[in-house]
């Protein structure tokens, strides 16, 4: 039996206690029974089955030699960082769902874990319950990973799915998502895409073995999307999704998070509503797809508990993936080639020649219920060149990245 403590008894932390309680027999049968000895939180939880185990002082957990694993589900990069560091320095393994902390201090905390013969594990920090990190670090060790391409944020996927299916406005759907608990009161990290950007930074750091800072990744949220964008998506038999991508080349890692048009046959379109899907392209296996609940109490907690089991089953050893504190080589995203879709004011017939001259071979698209404008599908070009062209052009109403089929 391994004694553990949970730091933060909120959505994920209470889920950790529930997963351990519900699957206690199964987990014990696998040889690594877990027992929750303490729960650290700011509040008390009278009447809760774990209420008696709640403490408010971290030192009583740190100073208890029976505690071998801590599940950090507090969030933030202040106390969570200090507590994780102190625990690892004492040889206590830490399992976390805290992507912000992993992205910012993951390299350092993993190094401290190694120095102290314990583990810093963070499966739940990317893709909630989908075992993505274990897949990259254990399942694909014979592979050279060339590209990761995925829908990594459940809140925005819910919003985009609703806008697509119901033709609803962004503001209205966001309000509804907040009322249903799918979006936070302050939704900035989701709708401005900081959250999936941190997640792709973590995955890219694991693949490159060096730190990819999310702030160096081109990141565009979904707030500028309009009903008209979805009308064009329907016309093109495509869907708009917030896609985080990272491609690994000899020139470095090219990463970008932005709304994209995905053609109807894209495997990522299995992910609707709050679901996530990630496609990993590697050199021998080719494409492999990972799908599931990217957030939520039990899905996320399941990944945290999976890590706790791994840490408990391997005392004195350092498990999991990590990267060094050295900065990874990033490719200049302006040099990256891809396709685009651009919305332009005026009539397609009147502007076709001008538009073709600027963007080269492509084709115009008209959408139902969107008068006074048209769309143009731009074949592959360098991102920097595309952005320069639209900045210099009259009547550009919006654009999306879109790797369209070559022919209409
Ligand atoms: N919710 C999800 O679906 C999900 C999915 C993947 C990853 N995550 C990540 O998991 C982490 C936790 O998320 P959550 O949704 O479970 O958050 P949450 O519901 O707000 O839970 C956090 C808990 O930690 C407590 N806490 C905060 N600071 C503390 C401190 N200094 N000492 C003791 N307790 C403290 C909070 O207490 P108060 O409420 O009193 O402040 C709260 O009970 C975050 O990093 C989040 O990004 C969440």
């Amino acid at each position: 039996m391994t004694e553990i403590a949970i730091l933060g008894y909120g959505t994920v932390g209470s889920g950790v206690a529930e997963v351990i309680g519900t699957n206690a027999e199964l987990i014990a049968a696998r040889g690594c029974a877990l027992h929750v000895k303490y729960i650290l939180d700011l509040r008390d939880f009278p009447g809760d089955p774990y209420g008696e185990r709640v403490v408010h002082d971290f030192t009583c957990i740190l100073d208890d030699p029976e505690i071998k694993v801590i599940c950090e589900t507090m969030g933030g990069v202040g106390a969570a960082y200090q507590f994780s560091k102190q625990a690892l320095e004492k040889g206590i393994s830490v399992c976390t769902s805290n992507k912000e902390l992993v992205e910012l201090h993951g390299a350092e905390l993993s190094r401290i874990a190694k120095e102290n013969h314990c583990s810093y594990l963070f499966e739940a920090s990317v893709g909630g319950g989908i075992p993505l990190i274990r897949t990259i670090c254990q399942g694909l060790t014979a592979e050279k990973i060339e590209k990761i391409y995925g829908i990594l944020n459940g809140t925005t996927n819910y919003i985009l799915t609703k806008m697509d299916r119901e033709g609803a406005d962004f503001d209205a759907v966001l309000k509804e998502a907040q009322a249903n608990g799918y979006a936070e009161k302050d939704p900035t990290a989701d709708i401005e895409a900081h959250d999936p950007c941190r997640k792709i930074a973590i995955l890219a750091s694991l693949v490159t073995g060096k730190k990819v800072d999310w702030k160096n990744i081109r990141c565009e949220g979904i707030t500028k999307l309009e009903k008209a964008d979805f009308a064009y998506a329907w016309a093109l038999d495509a869907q708009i999704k917030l896609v985080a991508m990272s491609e690994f080349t000899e020139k470095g890692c090219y990463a970008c998070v932005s709304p994209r048009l995905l053609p109807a046959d894209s495997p990522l379109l299995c992910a609707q509503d709050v679901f996530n899907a990630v496609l990993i392209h590697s050199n021998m296996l080719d494409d492999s797809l990972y799908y599931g609940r990217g957030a939520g109490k039990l899905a996320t907690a399941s990944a945290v508990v999976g890590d706790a089991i791994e840490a408990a089953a391997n005392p004195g050893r350092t498990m999991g993936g990590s990267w060094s504190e050295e900065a990874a080589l990033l490719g200049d995203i302006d040099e990256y080639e891809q396709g685009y879709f651009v919305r332009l004011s005026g009539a397609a017939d009147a502007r076709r020649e001008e538009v073709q001259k600027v963007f080269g071979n492509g084709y115009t698209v008209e959408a139902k219920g969107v008068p006074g404008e048209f769309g143009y599908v731009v074949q592959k070009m360098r991102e920097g060149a595309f952005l320069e062209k639209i900045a210099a052009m009259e009547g550009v109403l919006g654009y999306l990245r879109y790797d369209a089929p070559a022919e209409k």
Side-chain angles (χ1 to χ4, degrees), residues 8-12 40-43 73-75 79 97-99 124 295-296 300:
Y9 199 51
T11 306
V12 182
L40 180 85
D41 204 279
L42 302 169
R43 290 169 291 154
T73 51
M74 283 165 43
S97 56
N98 187 341
K99 61 217 130 184
T300 310

Side-chain angles (χ1 to χ4, degrees), residues 186-375:
D186 177 1
T188 313
D190 294 320
I191 62 178
E192 294 296 354
H194 302 163
D195 171 88
C197 196
R198 285 193 173 96
K199 291 169 176 168
I200 197 75
I202 293 171
L203 297 182
S205 298
L206 279 170
V207 172
T208 60
K210 294 182 182 169
K211 183 170 168 59
V212 175
D213 189 330
W214 77 279
K215 294 201 190 87
N216 295 331
I217 294 177
R218 181 156 295 158
C219 176
E220 292 171 14
I222 63 164
T223 55
K224 292 193 190 115
L225 291 174
E226 298 169 5
K227 274 187 185 179
D229 294 302
F230 290 84
Y232 285 106
W234 297 328
L236 289 161
D237 196 18
Q239 278 188 45
I240 301 173
K241 294 291 182 190
L242 180 60
V243 175
M245 81 92 189
S246 182
E247 189 162 329
F248 308 95
T249 74
E250 275 162 22
K251 288 186 184 162
C253 156
Y254 293 87
C256 174
V257 182
S258 72
R260 274 176 193 269
L261 279 164
L262 296 180
D265 61 357
S266 167
L268 289 187
L269 292 184
C270 63
Q272 300 294 338
D273 296 311
V274 294
F275 281 82
N276 283 191
V278 178
L279 193 87
I280 299 182
H281 181 83
S282 55
N283 66 339
M284 298 290 128
L285 169 64
D286 205 325
D287 285 345
S288 54
L289 181 70
Y290 308 88
Y291 164 87
R293 289 190 182 275
K297 176 175 166 161
L298 293 177
T300 310
S302 167
V304 178
V305 175
D307 280 349
I309 293 170
E310 186 173 8
N314 292 281
R317 293 178 66 198
T318 302
M319 311 304 291
S322 62
W323 56 90
S324 80
E325 283 151 90
E326 191 186 332
L329 175 66
L330 288 190
D332 177 358
I333 197 70
D334 280 335
E335 296 298 321
Y336 190 77
E337 279 197 11
Q338 57 197 325
Y340 299 87
F341 164 79
V342 58
R343 273 173 57 206
L344 297 155
S345 62
D349 286 343
R351 293 192 69 183
R352 186 167 288 113
E353 219 173 289
E354 169 210 349
V355 171
Q356 257 168 0
K357 212 169 163 191
V358 174
F359 294 117
N361 264 344
Y363 51 89
T364 55
V365 191
E366 313 227 12
K368 264 192 202 156
V370 190
E373 61 168 275
F374 65 101

